[in-house]
Amino acid sequence: MSDCFWRPISVDCVDPVCFPDVAVYLKRGGNYVLYKDKERGFTQDDLRRLETTFTEFLYVRSSDMEEINSYMEKNLADILASTNVSGAAKGRILYQTSVNHVINLFESPEMAANLERCRKLIRHMIEYVANEPHALEPLQSIAAHNFYIFAHSVQVAALNLLVHEKLFQISPDEMTDVGIGSLLHDFGMIFISDQILEKPDALSEVEYYKVKEHAQKGYEYLKQTGLFSDVALTIVRHHHERHDGNGYPTGIKGSVIPRSAQLSAICDVYSALTTDRPFRKASTSGEALRIMREEAKSGFFNYELFDKFEDLIVTLKGVSNQERDQLLASRPTSGRVEIILRSPDVRYLIPS
């Protein structure tokens, strides 16, 4: 994964009292303009000025990100506990910190061994999605200002945690492992060349084959560390399996695919469809759900789990009234599963 020279930082993340002494830039017409040099500290006047001009993101050099990451992770718990910070701002800070963590892992894979750092972020995310009524909304601006693969990893983690929190009664440790596996589900992309990952048009058959290797390679790399649970590793390995058995890397199907991996597949596709990509514009939530429902009918997803996922998105994420009416009208009126599973999924060990 190639290093990018500039990194976005949500203005919400800036505390004038303790923000690091690094140069900060504004993006103007595709150019990066110095806002303050490292010798001048941030002030409350700076923040008021940025608010007046509706500036949402600042930029720093990638070489300063280690210092920025340390600052953000050190102060994250206090920020999330503060009554003076809005729920939306907390979400932007949490998600930006998580994106920065994913970037760090992709650029320095050996950092995956620092599992406690990842675990702390996921525990913050679990608490946030459980208590914030609009937990997914702050993701939109973060996703729009960060490279796709990094923001996508955070989106999938937040979605999967939200679904598990609303639908299942599982232990805090298992929930944490679900979040870790979701955040790292595309970790194997570190083995794919930038030329393929950044290609704006259709992949060749050979290129697509190489991309498909990411699930198994990510699983093997993380497994050899001896640090990650079977829950997390299962998500990394099996998030591209299909309910009808036509997925990869192992081609397992139906109930043999652990529930957490099945839900990761649903969250993965939804995130991909609702995010801008170089080769297509993002679908609306309603459009994405309609596409996915057809895929579920054809065997791509577990239809019962997708049904529950759709319920949550329509209810919690907030689609337009018109989209909601269209979605409800297109859904089957009989045969829907109304029972919510409330037991832990113990099928994490899949035969090789």
Side-chain angles (χ1 to χ4, degrees), residues 1 101-114 118 149-150 152-153 180-192 197 211 213-225 228 232-233 235-237 239-240:
M1 184 64 59
H101 177 62
V102 174
I103 294 173
N104 197 194
L105 292 178
F106 272 63
E107 293 182 346
S108 303
E110 68 278 3
M111 293 297 294
N114 187 356
C118 186
I149 194 169
F150 307 127
H152 169 72
S153 296
I180 291 171
S182 303
L183 193 67
L184 301 180
H185 76 282
D186 273 340
F187 184 79
M189 290 296 187
I190 65 173
F191 301 105
I192 313 300
L197 291 178
V211 169
E213 293 180 324
H214 80 276
Q216 183 66 23
K217 287 187 174 182
Y219 162 78
E220 291 173 353
Y221 184 98
L222 295 174
K223 183 178 175 62
Q224 61 86 28
T225 68
F228 294 87
L233 292 173
I235 292 173
V236 174
R237 190 184 192 191
H239 67 278
H240 280 293

Side-chain angles (χ1 to χ4, degrees), residues 159-294:
L159 279 167
N160 213 1
L161 289 172
L162 181 64
V163 173
H164 276 77
E165 194 276 328
K166 298 298 181 183
L167 297 187
F168 309 115
Q169 290 179 340
I170 60 177
S171 71
D173 285 345
E174 185 176 326
M175 184 74 86
T176 301
D177 290 335
V178 167
I180 291 171
S182 303
L183 193 67
L184 301 180
H185 76 282
D186 273 340
F187 184 79
M189 290 296 187
I190 65 173
F191 301 105
I192 313 300
S193 71
D194 292 343
Q195 183 179 8
I196 293 177
L197 291 178
E198 298 169 7
K199 187 175 180 179
D201 47 9
L203 299 178
S204 68
E205 187 174 339
V206 172
E207 290 169 334
Y208 182 54
Y209 176 81
K210 290 181 178 179
V211 169
K212 288 170 64 176
E213 293 180 324
H214 80 276
Q216 183 66 23
K217 287 187 174 182
Y219 162 78
E220 291 173 353
Y221 184 98
L222 295 174
K223 183 178 175 62
Q224 61 86 28
T225 68
L227 298 171
F228 294 87
S229 71
D230 292 326
V231 177
L233 292 173
T234 289
I235 292 173
V236 174
R237 190 184 192 191
H238 295 295
H239 67 278
H240 280 293
E241 305 288 0
R242 284 181 46 160
H243 201 248
D244 59 10
N246 290 320
Y248 61 87
T250 63
I252 56 177
K253 65 179 180 179
S255 61
V256 179
I257 308 171
R259 185 180 65 206
S260 56
Q262 294 187 51
L263 284 167
S264 297
I266 293 172
C267 296
D268 187 24
V269 172
Y270 179 80
S271 173
L273 287 174
T274 55
T275 304
D276 280 332
R277 304 294 300 278
F279 47 86
R280 62 158 176 78
K281 296 293 290 181
S283 299
T284 65
S285 293
E287 291 169 344
L289 292 171
R290 282 190 288 272
I291 292 170
M292 293 175 69
R293 176 166 286 280
E294 292 305 310

Side-chain angles (χ1 to χ4, degrees), residues 10-17 19 35 40 42-55 58:
S10 172
V11 171
D12 297 301
C13 299
V14 178
D15 182 346
V17 176
F19 191 78
Y35 179 73
R40 184 177 74 82
F42 250 106
T43 67
Q44 289 293 345
D45 287 339
D46 286 320
L47 288 183
R48 282 191 287 270
R49 191 177 303 113
L50 292 169
E51 182 179 346
T52 301
T53 57
F54 302 100
T55 301
L58 300 167

